[in-house]
Amino acid sequence: MVVVLGLDPGSRITGYGIVAETSGRLSLLEAGTIRPPAKRDMPFRLGEIYKGLSEVIARHSPQESALENVFVSKNMQSALKLGQARGAALAACTVAGLSVAEYEPTKVKKSIVGVGNAPKDQVAFMVARLLGVTNPGWAEDASDALAVAICHLNQRRMNRLAGL
Amino acid sequence: MVVVLGLDPGSRITGYGIVAETSGRLSLLEAGTIRPPAKRDMPFRLGEIYKGLSEVIARHSPQESALENVFVSKNMQSALKLGQARGAALAACTVAGLSVAEYEPTKVKKSIVGVGNAPKDQVAFMVARLLGVTNPGWAEDASDALAVAICHLNQRRMNRLAGL
């Protein structure tokens, strides 16, 4: 069995999803969001992202983590903010000994629904379906995190088949 | 006595400096840099920044930390990279319970040499002088971190005098 943590870091909301694969079957272990108190300053909130993810990791002991890569942002300020959230989240992963894989957003969509430009709700629908969940109560950010976890498991399987 | 951790986070080099103030007298406890192996990927290096700073904090138990704020960067990519390094560093501070203060770069320079547009080597010279170190062997990033620690201690003293 391999357990993967999918991540969607953000300064306000960080989505996460834990997916296990056993003999080619996916199963959902946990999905949720970390929402640090908006009234606290940014450094405190970064610490909450780190601690929140560390707790999720301690609960499920994933061996690997995955997230979308980012090359652009609205502006310099949002790039710095997003970078900070990613930094806190990635530090939590690697300090806990997890590997980290990054995927293009189009690659994630393609892996889930077959096309790279699929609308968000279609991706969310397929994520729930692939995990066998009929009425998912999870937030959009949690669904996005699950999507990249599933993408990573698909990629692992393909690498294995290709003998990589 | 108050002990302050000054920080200068960067994806390649993170400078730090620990300065104590006892009855208005400054003393240097430690200054150095964290340089994660350049060959490893960015997530691993962010974990090294987090762990390195956590060790420094464990050695000296500072109560407060300080760093320069950043609003601009060369381009989006460098903003994301710098943000990530800052995120890992700030998470290490707040998870350890430290407060974090941010200062304008011009404010730091002014606090050390009296003018906000002083050249870097003049700031470095005064930092060494204020700490009573004649031949500082520390790197530029460590000196920059010490500068913001001293700036923070000056600000604290002024706030105290002003009854804030």
Side-chain angles (χ1 to χ4, degrees):
Chain A
M1 182 174 85
V2 58
V3 179
V4 169
L5 164 63
L7 282 174
D8 183 18
S11 57
R12 289 179 306 134
I13 305 175
T14 291
Y16 65 86
I18 305 261
V19 181
E21 183 188 309
T22 318
S23 328
R25 273 186 66 88
L26 300 181
S27 56
L28 169 70
L29 299 187
E30 188 182 341
T33 54
I34 296 161
R35 297 167 192 253
K39 285 177 187 167
R40 301 297 301 262
D41 62 18
M42 187 55 74
F44 179 86
R45 285 153 64 191
L46 294 168
E48 294 295 297
I49 293 172
Y50 183 96
K51 285 193 282 185
L53 283 179
S54 298
E55 286 164 17
V56 171
I57 291 168
R59 273 201 292 280
H60 300 286
S61 305
Q63 301 93 7
E64 304 182 9
S65 65
L67 78 172
E68 288 188 0
N69 58 23
V70 178
F71 293 108
V72 289
S73 193
K74 259 183 303 179
N75 54 51
M76 218 56 103
Q77 265 306 290
S78 64
L80 282 162
K81 267 191 198 167
L82 176 58
Q84 290 188 163
R86 286 173 66 87
L90 291 173
C93 291
T94 55
V95 167
L98 277 65
S99 65
V100 178
E102 298 192 57
Y103 294 96
E104 295 287 333
T106 52
K107 165 97 184 171
V108 175
K109 285 182 172 177
K110 193 163 183 182
S111 176
I112 304 291
V113 297
V115 289
N117 61 351
K120 263 186 165 292
D121 54 351
Q122 196 188 345
V123 178
F125 174 83
M126 278 305 295
V127 163
R129 188 157 185 174
L130 288 165
L131 295 172
V133 177
T134 38
N135 277 310
W138 53 59
E140 187 181 302
D141 303 81
S143 176
D144 290 347
L146 289 168
V148 68
I150 295 169
C151 168
H152 180 64
L153 285 164
N154 289 345
Q155 188 62 46
R156 272 183 114 258
R157 204 162 38 231
M158 288 201 295
N159 289 348
R160 213 165 46 236
L161 291 173
L164 295 177
Chain B
M1 183 173 87
V2 59
V3 179
V4 170
L5 165 63
L7 282 175
D8 183 17
S11 58
R12 288 180 306 134
I13 306 175
T14 291
Y16 65 85
I18 305 262
V19 181
E21 183 187 310
T22 319
S23 326
R25 274 184 64 87
L26 300 181
S27 55
L28 169 69
L29 299 188
E30 187 182 339
T33 54
I34 296 160
R35 296 168 192 253
K39 286 177 188 169
R40 301 297 302 264
D41 62 17
M42 186 56 74
F44 180 86
R45 286 152 65 191
L46 294 167
E48 294 296 295
I49 293 172
Y50 183 94
K51 285 193 282 185
L53 283 178
S54 298
E55 285 163 18
V56 170
I57 290 168
R59 274 201 293 281
H60 299 286
S61 305
Q63 301 93 6
E64 304 182 8
S65 65
L67 78 171
E68 288 188 359
N69 57 24
V70 178
F71 292 109
V72 287
S73 194
K74 260 183 304 178
N75 54 50
M76 219 55 103
Q77 265 305 290
S78 64
L80 282 162
K81 268 192 196 165
L82 177 59
Q84 290 189 164
R86 287 173 65 87
L90 291 173
C93 290
T94 54
V95 167
L98 277 66
S99 65
V100 178
E102 297 191 58
Y103 294 96
E104 295 287 333
T106 51
K107 166 96 183 173
V108 175
K109 286 183 172 175
K110 193 162 184 183
S111 176
I112 304 290
V113 297
V115 290
N117 60 351
K120 264 188 165 291
D121 55 351
Q122 195 187 344
V123 177
F125 175 84
M126 279 305 296
V127 163
R129 189 162 185 170
L130 288 165
L131 295 172
V133 177
T134 39
N135 278 310
W138 53 59
E140 187 179 303
D141 302 81
S143 176
D144 289 348
L146 289 168
V148 68
I150 296 170
C151 168
H152 180 63
L153 285 165
N154 289 344
Q155 188 62 45
R156 273 182 113 258
R157 205 162 40 233
M158 288 202 294
N159 289 348
R160 215 165 44 237
L161 290 172
L164 293 176

